[in-house]
């Protein structure tokens, strides 16, 4: 059974648009010229939180408000954008939010979560360790644990897919980054709900390829580490429910390396004057890597976020890393 139907998707869009304006889909002439492709960029970096996750936080907290005692407070783990979405939505629904991040997480993302009213706890060396701690802390403190993947998160995130498919007809292919799966699963479910045939290709970093390995194996494959500066795709333990949807609905999962991601970030800035964080640039990197197969096709790339620390971004633009 699909996670939601088209009526439920449009209901989510009506609600999300009360808080977040639809984001533009733009075809940039300089980007087309630089790549030799016909690319449509879905600018989720233009949301009020600078990332697509804001949508899912809103629909999930609405769902919580109708189903549990929100006075208990909520908790979740994140590398940044999911946490910002929960902190923002919790503030809108009068919930106290605790967000767990790994040590060494983006200083500016941590600051943004605190600015939305969340308590930020640093624990562990990566997302998986932070998530395990968050689950224990939820039990100890009687908090509502918000997972990184859930039907209501996906339904909210899918509103950007609805906007994209409504804006551009006849898309042949969409490239989307894959972390814990809400983005790609939302696109798959939105496409299916609308009865479209568009191929959806997930993209991960070569140093954090658990999802790619799992896709090829047809089952969950965990990796010992997720080594990439693109923290939004730094997954080493795939969600089984998300993987099931990916296996049924994705055309492929491909990998790009760190330099390809940085090149895509620089190209976004030079050709579109737009900021892309690492995970936000992996779709463009993959579309360029698959150029021969993309020539003559209508291809969309999801620029999922712009939240990268200033110092790191400056070094990337300068070519220092």
């Amino acid at each position: 059974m699909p996670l939601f139907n088209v009526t439920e998707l449009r209901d989510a869009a009506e609600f999300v648009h009360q808080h977040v304006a639809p984001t533009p889909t733009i075809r940039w002439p300089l980007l087309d010229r630089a790549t030799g492709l016909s690319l449509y960029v879905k600018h989720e970096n233009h949301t009020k939180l600078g990332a697509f996750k804001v949508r899912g936080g809103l629909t999930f907290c609405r769902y919580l408000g109708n189903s549990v005692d929100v006075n208990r407070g909520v908790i979740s783990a994140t590398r940044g954008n999911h946490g910002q979405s929960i902190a923002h939505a919790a503030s809108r629904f009068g919930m106290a939010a605790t967000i767990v991040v790994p040590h060494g997480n983006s200083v500016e993302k941590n600051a943004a979560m605190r600015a939305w009213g969340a308590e930020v706890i640093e624990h562990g060396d990566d997302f998986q360790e932070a998530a395990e701690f968050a689950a224990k802390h939820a039990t100890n403190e009687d908090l509502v644990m918000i997972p990184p993947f859930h039907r209501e998160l996906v339904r909210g995130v899918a509103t950007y897919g609805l906007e994209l498919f409504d804006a551009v007809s006849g898309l042949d292919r969409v490239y989307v980054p894959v972390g814990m799966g809400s983005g790609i699963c939302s696109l798959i479910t939105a496409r299916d709900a609308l009865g479209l045939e568009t191929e959806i290709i997930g993209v991960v970093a070569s140093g954090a390829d658990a999802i790619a390995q799992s896709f090829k194996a047809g089952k969950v494959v965990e990796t010992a580490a997720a080594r990439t500066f693109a923290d939004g795709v730094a997954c080493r333990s795939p969600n089984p429910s998300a993987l099931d949807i990916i296996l049924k609905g994705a055309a492929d999962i491909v990998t790009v390396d760190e330099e390809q991601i940085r090149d895509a970030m620089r190209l976004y800035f030079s050709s579109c004057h737009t900021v892309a964080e690492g995970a936000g640039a992996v779709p463009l990197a993959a579309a360029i890597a698959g150029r021969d197969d993309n020539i003559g096709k209508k291809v969309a790339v999801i620029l999922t976020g712009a939240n990268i620390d200033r110092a790191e971004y400056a070094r990337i633009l300068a070519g220092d890393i």
Side-chain angles (χ1 to χ4, degrees), residues 180-242:
M180 294 306 295
S182 65
I184 188 170
C185 291
S186 75
L187 273 176
I188 290 169
T189 310
R191 176 202 63 190
D192 293 348
L194 294 169
L196 303 175
E197 300 295 329
T198 305
E199 286 186 346
I200 294 174
I201 298 180
V203 191
V204 299
S206 56
D209 66 345
I211 289 288
Q213 290 191 40
S214 299
F215 186 79
K216 291 177 181 177
K219 62 180 181 180
V220 171
V221 176
E222 297 187 5
T223 56
R227 296 185 178 91
T228 177
F229 80 95
D231 51 26
V233 295
C235 166
R236 64 178 175 88
S237 183
N239 181 281
S241 297

Side-chain angles (χ1 to χ4, degrees), residues 127-151:
F127 170 79
Q128 191 62 34
E129 292 184 4
E132 291 167 0
F133 175 82
K136 293 177 182 177
H137 196 66
T139 300
N140 293 339
E141 301 297 325
D142 193 29
L143 303 174
V144 178
M145 179 69 187
I146 300 179
F149 186 86
H150 184 278
R151 175 188 185 272

Side-chain angles (χ1 to χ4, degrees), residues 81-167:
N81 290 334
H82 171 71
Q84 286 189 71
S85 77
I86 298 304
H88 165 263
S91 71
R92 293 292 179 267
F93 285 85
M95 305 174 188
T98 301
I99 307 297
V100 183
V101 302
H103 291 293
N105 197 56
S106 163
V107 173
E108 293 175 19
K109 287 183 180 179
N110 291 353
M113 288 182 274
R114 292 188 175 103
W116 285 110
E119 176 188 2
V120 177
I121 298 174
E122 296 183 61
H123 182 90
D125 293 326
D126 62 15
F127 170 79
Q128 191 62 34
E129 292 184 4
E132 291 167 0
F133 175 82
K136 293 177 182 177
H137 196 66
T139 300
N140 293 339
E141 301 297 325
D142 193 29
L143 303 174
V144 178
M145 179 69 187
I146 300 179
F149 186 86
H150 184 278
R151 175 188 185 272
E152 287 302 320
L153 287 172
V154 175
R155 187 157 72 110
V157 169
T159 60
Y160 82 68
L162 177 64
E163 293 169 13
L164 171 65
F165 293 131
D166 280 350

